[in-house]
Structures are given as C-alpha cells and as structure tokens.
Amino acid sequence: EAGVAQSPRYKIIEKRQSVAFWCNPISGHATLYWYQQILGQGPKLLIQFQNNGVVDDSQLPKDRFSAERLKGVDSTLKIQPAKLEDSAVYLCASSLGGGAGGPGDTQYFGPGTRLTVL
Amino acid sequence: LAKTTQPISMDSYEGQEVNITCSHNNIATNDYITWYQQFPSQGPRFIIQGYKTKVTNEVASLFIPADRKSSTLSLPRVSLSDTAVYYCLVGGPNTGFQKLVFGTGTRLLVSP
C-alpha cells in the first residue's frame, strides 16, 4: 500500500513570496490533515478535512494560509505571503476514520516539506 | 480534550528496557491512548494504541492502570535506532472531529 505522498520535499523562498505544497493521501482515507512542525516542537494541526469539507481550521492563519481538497482526494496548502516565522516542516497525514482518536483513526504521515523563509 | 504530560527527554543504553510515562488526568470515558514515534526528518509513525490494561505488539507494550489517568509505553531492549521523539495522544470516537494534540513529546536518546 502506497503511503502519503508530499511534494516538494524542500523549498526555500524569500519573505513575502508565495509557496504551495501538495499532498496525496492514502487511497480511501476520508480524513486529511495538514500540520506545521517548528523545530523542537510537536506537530500543530492547521486544518482537517473530512472528504472535501473542512471540519477544523481553527489554528490556520487565514490571512495568509489557505488549503483545499478537491474531489476529496489530493490537497494543496498555500502560503501567501510568507513570513520568516513560517519556516517549518509542513506535514500531511491521512486516516481512514474521522480523526477523533479511536480505533481506525490512526494517522499516517507523509515525509513532510521543509520550508525555509529567508 | 485531555491534556497530556510526559518527560521532555530520557537517556538509555542499548539493550535496556525503556519506560516512558504519560499523564492524562482528565481522560474521558471513551478516550483511547495512542503513541507515535518520530525520527528526524520524518513524519510521526503510529506505534501502539490502547484503552485499558495492557496492549502488546511487535514494537512495544502499553500499560494502562485501572484509573486510566496515566499510561506507560515500554520499549524492550532498545537499540540505537530507537532514538526518536515519542508522543502520547488522547482522544476518542465520541468527540466528533475533535483534533488530537501533539505535545512536545519525549526525546529518547539511546547510546551504545
């Protein structure tokens, strides 16, 4: 079974530029998550999709971050414009269930995209 | 949402058993306890999940006392490759789409 795919793996941009990340979840997984992980910290959930609907985006900085999940499969996360503090690893994960933490809600993570904002 | 507390770091030597304890005093009746492992430059990986008593798989054991206010992840005979960050998460199926919160985790360093 193929895992969660993400691209690119690395990205270096200057502040005020735009950047987009792509995620392809495991086939059949209804729930997709985007996390931001700053060096030395645990992953912080930015947005959670159930199929193609947003169920939690309370920690997404909506003035600069946006995300979509077209047709309930692939997803893109965009930052426009980027700030220095956006330097982090952006992780995509998917799960079969609704993501509340019980059986069947195991999250499978991709390798992440390391973003450096100069 | 149950808050978890775990040690920031632990050190061990190859071949030893490592026990990492997580406190979750306000765990709800329907919450499960899940542990993830994260290596540098990789996303977290599921290790084990449990509800009560003891769960064992090929990687680890999870001990949960009767009051469920804490849990202990046990790694038998660790090797250098077990050096990683370990996260304890608590959540349940009756909380809807409530998000699981990753804390700072426990950084385990295994030395020769």
Side-chain angles (χ1 to χ4, degrees), chain A residues 98-113:
Chain A
D105 281 335
T106 297
Q107 294 187 39
Y108 296 85
F109 285 81
T113 297

Side-chain angles (χ1 to χ4, degrees), chain A residues 2-100:
Chain A
V4 176
Q6 290 188 248
S7 68
R9 289 297 313 276
Y10 305 91
K11 190 74 176 178
I12 301 174
I13 62 173
E14 296 190 349
K15 60 183 179 183
R16 292 188 288 273
Q17 286 188 321
S18 301
V19 65
F21 312 125
W22 173 82
C23 173
N24 180 240
I26 293 174
S27 178
H29 279 196
T31 306
L32 185 147
Y33 317 75
W34 282 103
Y35 289 87
Q36 178 192 60
Q37 186 170 26
I38 293 172
L39 188 64
Q41 299 181 18
K44 181 181 89 170
L45 180 70
L46 293 176
I47 189 167
Q48 179 177 337
F49 292 93
Q50 178 85 355
N51 296 310
N52 61 349
V54 176
V55 296
D56 186 350
D57 63 357
S58 57
Q59 297 194 96
L60 186 74
K62 299 180 185 64
D63 58 335
R64 299 185 299 107
F65 286 64
S66 64
E68 59 181 3
R69 188 181 185 194
L70 298 177
K71 301 180 181 179
V73 182
D74 292 6
S75 178
T76 56
L77 176 70
K78 297 179 182 178
I79 308 176
Q80 180 180 7
K83 292 185 176 181
L84 297 177
E85 58 261 36
D86 298 331
S87 293
V89 175
Y90 291 85
L91 295 162
C92 178
S94 68
S95 67
L96 192 61

Side-chain angles (χ1 to χ4, degrees), chain A residues 9 35 37 40-45 48 50 55-56 58-59 91 98-112 114, chain B residues 31-34 36 38 41-46 49 87 89-105 107:
Chain A
R9 289 297 313 276
Y35 289 87
Q37 186 170 26
Q41 299 181 18
K44 181 181 89 170
L45 180 70
Q48 179 177 337
Q50 178 85 355
V55 296
D56 186 350
S58 57
Q59 297 194 96
L91 295 162
D105 281 335
T106 297
Q107 294 187 39
Y108 296 85
F109 285 81
R114 182 176 298 276
Chain B
D31 283 347
Y32 283 75
I33 300 152
T34 309
Y36 285 83
Q38 186 176 26
S41 302
Q42 295 185 25
R45 181 181 73 134
F46 171 86
Q49 182 181 74
Y87 297 97
L89 286 81
V90 174
N94 290 341
T95 53
F97 298 122
Q98 191 171 32
K99 60 182 178 291
L100 295 178
V101 178
F102 285 82
T104 53
R107 192 171 299 272

Side-chain angles (χ1 to χ4, degrees), chain B residues 71-109:
Chain B
S71 59
T72 299
L73 174 71
S74 181
L75 304 172
R77 298 178 299 282
V78 294
S79 65
L80 297 177
S81 62
D82 291 316
T83 293
V85 179
Y86 294 82
Y87 297 97
C88 164
L89 286 81
V90 174
N94 290 341
T95 53
F97 298 122
Q98 191 171 32
K99 60 182 178 291
L100 295 178
V101 178
F102 285 82
T104 53
T106 297
R107 192 171 299 272
L108 173 65
L109 175 62

